[in-house]
Structures are given as structure tokens and as C-alpha cells.
Amino acid sequence: MSSTTALVVGAGAGGVAVAARLAKNGFQVTVVEKNRDIGGRCSMVNDNGYRFDQGPSLLLMPEYFREIFEDLDTTMETEGVELRKCDPNYRIWFSDRDTLDVTTDLVKMKSQIERYEGKSGFDGFLRFLVEAGRHYNLSSEHVLRKNFPSLSSMLRPDLVLVLWKLHPFESIYSRVSRYYRSEKLRQAFTFASMYLGMNPFEAPGTYSLLQYTEFADGIWYPVGGFKTVIDALSRVGTRLGVKYRLNSPVSSIALSTDSKSVTGIYLESGELLESDLVIVNADLTYAYNNLLPRTAYAESLEQRHTSCSCISFFWSFNTTIPALQSHNVFLADEYRASFDAIFKHNTIPVHPSFYVHVPTRLDPSVAPRGMDAMVILVPVGHLGRRPLPGKENVKETNTHWDEIVSNTRRLVLNTIESRTGASLRDRLIAEKIETPLTWREKYNLDRGSILGLSHSFFNVLSFRPKICHPVIEGLLFVGASTHPGTGVPVCLAGSKIITVQYVVTTFGN
């Protein structure tokens, strides 16, 4: 086993995780990363003493994080990862200045639910949690820990027997509406589909599992930023023998003369790295269309439904903004129309819903003393297909996006100030920005989609791109657009599926 080599292309969460797992099982592993640091979308943004999570900023489904460290014979605590519980989980700000604090404190939730639903409302809340918990537990058992290499995999008796209980053919909004009469509560319990970059009026009802884990397990924040978790995994991997090569973009995957097996990778520098196994943690659609010979299947991936993109603002303030919690959600008055703009018209809502994270509430070290760091994520439509050189669509130029960013900034500031009563403009001293263009450029994300392919029913299970290339032996995929799907904990689950399949099944260890 010690002579078996593996190359991992990309040092995002899935890549770092699978590298450590393979190294523990005796592989000689090298991770190749195009950027100057690991983490991918879990990277940190630094700006003159302020630090921001570039991507995920709340830790959900903690059992999957604990599991990978335990599988590597350690714990998060041993590796220096400190998690702090968010309380409340987040505050929802409605357009009429009403607020709802979503919390694991059921006494507080009861009084808030009854404010909207009356005395019988809490019973509906509990029944919703039972259904959402069933979705979570069944998904964990039958989807997130299983491989689906073919359509026949979906006919496994255990899955067939429970599939109807997952409500995959009803939307989250439809399922939630069975338990709440209040439109505000329907919005409060459906917007989390945006964790998957999906429209709550289209996302399968299965994904109410996200609300369940928020209530059952809470929302957590890693002190120092989400990247501390990835850094800890990389340190464990390094102890196990994993080597990292940064600033090393890959130009193509090297194949045998008959193109039936992988032999390594070529770097843009021209260097060939040979290997028995290649695991791609780069964006899957990008990899199929740019690192491998083009095929009809590769081109079809560019036509599949994909997640939305977003504009991210990273704001530094010269004081604190006490009106805001650690996590805040500002919901548009025209809730459904705002999602239609993104997912049906692939544009930017006139009045968007957006998320605001103030990490200094739980971790004062991310900003100078007495000051606030703030991250704003505004979901927007994704880009078109990657243009050929010199053929860029005028709507995707930097000038076009500069105008959109300016308008979006104004909308966000107006919304926060009007709903909270706080003054932001005269306290904002620095800003960094990400747009769909920069997401595509930095991380080769197809169409700038921040969460990969959509999680609609015909984009999951056996319909989702496989973890093993269907033709090329020794080529595997881990990350958002392959099975089991998007989100850091789900990508961690994917790293285990790969390791079990290849270490136990293929190599017999």
C-alpha cells in the first residue's frame, strides 16, 4: 500500500479531507493547489487588521466534523479548533421592522411562534421538527453515507422504502406551509435553502433537514474563522505524510495512451506529476471541460441547473454596530419575487434578501478592539457559460458588474439602516468585494456558481456526477458538484465515501 500514490487537485474542504483520509490508509498523497493558500471557498479575507470568512461562516451538522477528526484518530479540540455556539442562531429582519430570533431555546421559540400562530402554533412547530428530523436522519443513513454509482443504486430496497418519507417531489415551501399559517414563519423556515444556493419554492422538501440540525445541534462558529477547521485537517494530513504544493495551477489531467486510465497531472508550468490515482477537488464542471478532453457529457454539465452566485461585501467599521447579531437575515418584502429574479430570470432582485455576518460578536480577535468586521452575502443569478477569449458578453464585463455592485451596496445599506436604525455609512472605513466574475476567476467555478450544481431531484443521487469517472480508471471527484453534494459537512461525507470505496473495495485494505 505504501507504494500507491495519489494526487489531489484542489485544497478545498473535500480535497484536504480526502488527502488526510488516504494518507491514513497508507497512500503517498500530494495536494496541488492553484492559489497561494489552502481552503478554497473556506479561505479568509484579510484587510488591515480585519479578518472575514470568505465563504461559510456558520458550522452546521457538527457530527460530520467530529467524525472526520475521530476517523483520523484525533479530535477538533486536540487540534486546537474551538467552537462557540451562536445564541440566537440568527435574527431575521422583516421589511416592516419586525424581528424573529431563531434559537435552540425552545421556551423562547414557543413565545415567538405563538406570537404569529396563536396558542396552537407551537404544536405545528414541533410536528415540523419531527418531519425535518426524519429528513435529516434518513438522508444521513441512506444518502450521505452511500455511493450511487449507477441508476440501479437508487433501487436499493432500503432507499426505496424510505424515499417517499423524504418528500423529494414537494418543495420546502410547500412542506413548511403545512405547519404554519403565517407567511413570516413560512419565510423564516424556508430561506435556509439558500445554503444550497436553491429557490425555496423549488428545492426538494428533503432539505428541511437544514432547519432540523439548526435546532437539534445548534449553529457554531470556529474561533479564528471557518478556515481554522480546514487548517487543522491539513495539519493532521501533514503529520500523516500529505505534501502540499501551492501556487501550482493544473493545466490538464494526464491519461494513458488509450485514455482509459489516469497517469497523473500536468501543471501549467509544464511539469508532469505522475500518480496511480487522481482525485479532483476543483469545480467538477470546469474539470470535465478544461482538464480533460471535451466530450458530449462534459458539455452537458454546462447546461445543467446550477446554484446561484452572490455578491459579497467585506466591510470594516471604525466602531461596533450593536443592533446586529452574529448572524442576520434580511428578507425581501416580495419574498417569492426575489427568488424568481435569481432562479427563473437569472438576474438580481430589485429588493434582494441577504445575509449579514458580524463575526466580532463571537470572536473579537477578527477586528481591532472596539470595532466590527461585517460580511454581507447577496444572492444573485449566475453567469452564462464561460466565454471564449475576446468574445466576452458585455453583460459580464467588470464595468457592468461595477454598476451592479454600486447599486447593490446602496440597497443593502438602505435596508440595514432603515430596519435597524443603525448608522453604517459614516462608520464604514474599508471594503473588499467578490462578484460572480471573481468567484469564477479565483476558483474556476462554472458560471460563477458558488455552490456547484443544483440539488434538484434530477441532480442528486444517481443523477449527480459520479465520484468515479465512468470511463477513466483511477480518476475520482470530491466536492460540491459530485455526490453526495454541496456544503462543507456534505463534502466531508464525500471524502469518506471515496476512501471507503477505494481503500476498502479497490485496494482491499
Side-chain angles (χ1 to χ4, degrees):
M1 177 69 75
S2 61
S3 62
T4 306
T5 56
L7 284 168
V8 179
V9 180
V16 170
V18 78
R21 287 186 181 278
L22 289 175
K24 183 176 184 292
N25 284 275
F27 283 78
Q28 296 179 28
V29 186
T30 300
V31 180
V32 180
E33 167 58 44
K34 76 183 283 281
N35 293 308
R36 62 182 182 181
D37 199 3
I38 69 168
R41 281 159 279 183
C42 293
S43 298
M44 298 295 290
V45 174
N46 295 281
D47 188 13
N48 197 29
Y50 294 79
R51 300 197 315 276
F52 312 86
D53 287 291
Q54 181 171 237
S57 56
L58 42 82
L59 190 147
L60 296 173
M61 304 169 66
E63 67 173 291
Y64 287 90
F65 292 86
R66 289 193 295 268
E67 179 181 76
I68 186 169
F69 283 91
E70 290 169 1
D71 288 349
L72 297 171
D73 300 325
T74 184
T75 65
M76 284 193 283
E77 293 79 10
T78 300
E79 301 304 326
V81 177
E82 179 187 352
L83 299 182
R84 290 183 181 166
K85 190 173 185 294
C86 303
D87 187 22
N89 290 353
Y90 43 82
R91 174 169 291 172
I92 297 176
W93 300 81
F94 298 102
S95 60
D96 61 0
R97 299 190 181 182
D98 186 19
T99 62
L100 171 67
D101 285 347
V102 178
T103 172
T104 56
D105 185 329
L106 294 187
V107 174
K108 292 180 180 178
M109 277 306 301
K110 183 175 185 291
S111 64
Q112 293 187 101
I113 295 291
E114 291 177 348
R115 178 158 59 96
Y116 296 101
E117 296 280 312
K119 290 296 182 182
S120 63
F122 193 63
D123 178 65
F125 169 76
L126 294 176
R127 288 187 291 112
F128 167 73
L129 281 188
V130 169
E131 176 176 297
R134 187 182 304 120
H135 289 168
Y136 181 91
N137 292 322
L138 292 177
S139 295
S140 292
E141 179 181 356
H142 297 285
V143 178
L144 300 183
R145 301 186 186 281
K146 300 287 179 67
N147 191 22
F148 288 81
S150 64
L151 285 175
S152 62
S153 306
M154 294 175 60
L155 300 178
R156 288 195 298 252
D158 59 339
L159 178 62
V160 172
L161 287 172
V162 303
L163 188 61
W164 67 275
K165 296 180 181 179
L166 292 171
H167 302 106
F169 302 113
E170 291 185 69
S171 72
I172 291 179
Y173 190 88
S174 172
R175 293 306 304 177
V176 166
S177 296
R178 293 171 179 260
Y179 299 101
Y180 304 109
R181 299 187 306 272
S182 163
E183 178 59 23
K184 285 184 177 178
L185 289 187
R186 290 177 178 181
Q187 294 176 10
F189 286 90
T190 58
F191 82 87
S193 65
M194 292 303 292
Y195 297 164
L196 303 172
M198 291 191 70
N199 184 345
F201 296 93
E202 298 175 350
T206 311
Y207 298 117
S208 66
L209 64 87
L210 295 165
Q211 278 79 26
Y212 172 77
T213 188
E214 288 178 348
F215 285 107
D217 302 312
I219 287 177
W220 300 83
Y221 181 72
V223 174
F226 209 100
K227 186 172 177 289
T228 60
V229 179
I230 312 302
D231 286 338
L233 282 175
S234 73
R235 289 194 299 271
V236 175
T238 299
R239 290 203 304 267
L240 293 168
V242 176
K243 295 178 176 152
Y244 283 87
R245 292 189 58 169
L246 306 178
N247 295 309
S248 300
V250 174
S251 62
S252 65
I253 294 169
L255 304 177
S256 59
T257 53
D258 62 1
S259 297
K260 294 295 180 64
S261 61
V262 73
T263 60
I265 60 174
Y266 285 101
L267 302 182
E268 285 187 359
S269 64
E271 182 180 1
L272 169 64
L273 303 179
E274 296 182 316
S275 182
D276 301 307
L277 189 66
V278 172
I279 304 98
V280 176
N281 183 223
D283 182 83
L284 181 141
T285 301
Y286 172 86
Y288 264 93
N289 283 280
N290 295 272
L291 303 184
L292 291 165
R294 294 272 290 187
T295 62
Y297 177 74
E299 293 179 6
S300 74
L301 292 174
E302 294 184 318
Q303 306 300 327
R304 286 204 187 193
H305 291 299
T306 191
S307 61
C308 66
S309 190
C310 80
I311 297 173
S312 298
F313 297 99
F314 306 95
W315 286 345
S316 303
F317 290 90
N318 61 7
T319 186
T320 59
I321 312 297
L324 294 170
Q325 299 287 328
S326 178
H327 301 291
N328 307 264
V329 178
F330 289 80
L331 294 180
D333 186 30
E334 298 295 330
Y335 186 67
R336 184 163 195 157
S338 69
F339 289 110
D340 285 346
I342 297 169
F343 295 100
K344 292 187 176 181
H345 308 300
N346 198 36
T347 184
I348 298 171
V350 175
H351 296 290
S353 297
F354 59 91
Y355 162 75
V356 177
H357 179 219
V358 189
T360 32
R361 294 293 170 273
L362 292 172
D363 184 5
S365 72
V366 300
R369 185 179 179 86
M371 303 181 188
D372 266 346
M374 189 182 297
V375 181
I376 296 87
L377 304 181
V378 185
V380 299
H382 57 69
L383 302 172
R385 296 177 63 180
R386 183 182 288 268
L388 297 172
K391 303 290 185 180
E392 288 81 2
N393 186 321
V394 67
K395 292 184 178 180
E396 295 184 6
T397 63
N398 286 325
T399 301
H400 174 72
W401 279 99
D402 286 345
E403 181 181 350
I404 291 174
V405 166
S406 178
N407 291 335
T408 304
R409 181 193 297 108
R410 176 179 49 80
L411 277 171
V412 167
L413 286 168
N414 287 345
T415 301
I416 296 176
E417 290 185 337
S418 66
R419 296 191 192 181
T420 68
S423 175
L424 272 65
R425 285 176 171 83
D426 56 349
R427 301 174 182 183
L428 177 59
I429 59 174
E431 174 186 76
K432 286 184 176 292
I433 303 167
E434 298 285 2
T435 71
L437 288 177
T438 61
W439 290 121
R440 184 173 66 183
E441 178 63 25
K442 281 188 177 181
Y443 302 112
N444 291 327
L445 302 182
D446 175 56
R447 289 167 277 179
S449 300
I450 55 173
L451 293 164
L453 293 177
S454 168
H455 273 245
S456 56
F457 182 77
F458 290 103
N459 252 347
V460 296
L461 303 175
S462 297
F463 301 114
R464 202 166 187 83
K466 310 298 185 289
I467 65 171
C468 305
H469 193 282
V471 175
I472 303 171
E473 184 178 350
L475 179 59
L476 297 92
F477 300 87
V478 65
S481 289
T482 190
H483 179 73
T486 194
V488 176
V490 179
C491 291
L492 296 182
S495 75
K496 188 166 187 173
I497 293 173
I498 282 182
T499 307
V500 168
Q501 166 144 349
Y502 262 78
V503 173
V504 176
T505 304
T506 305
F507 290 91
N509 184 7

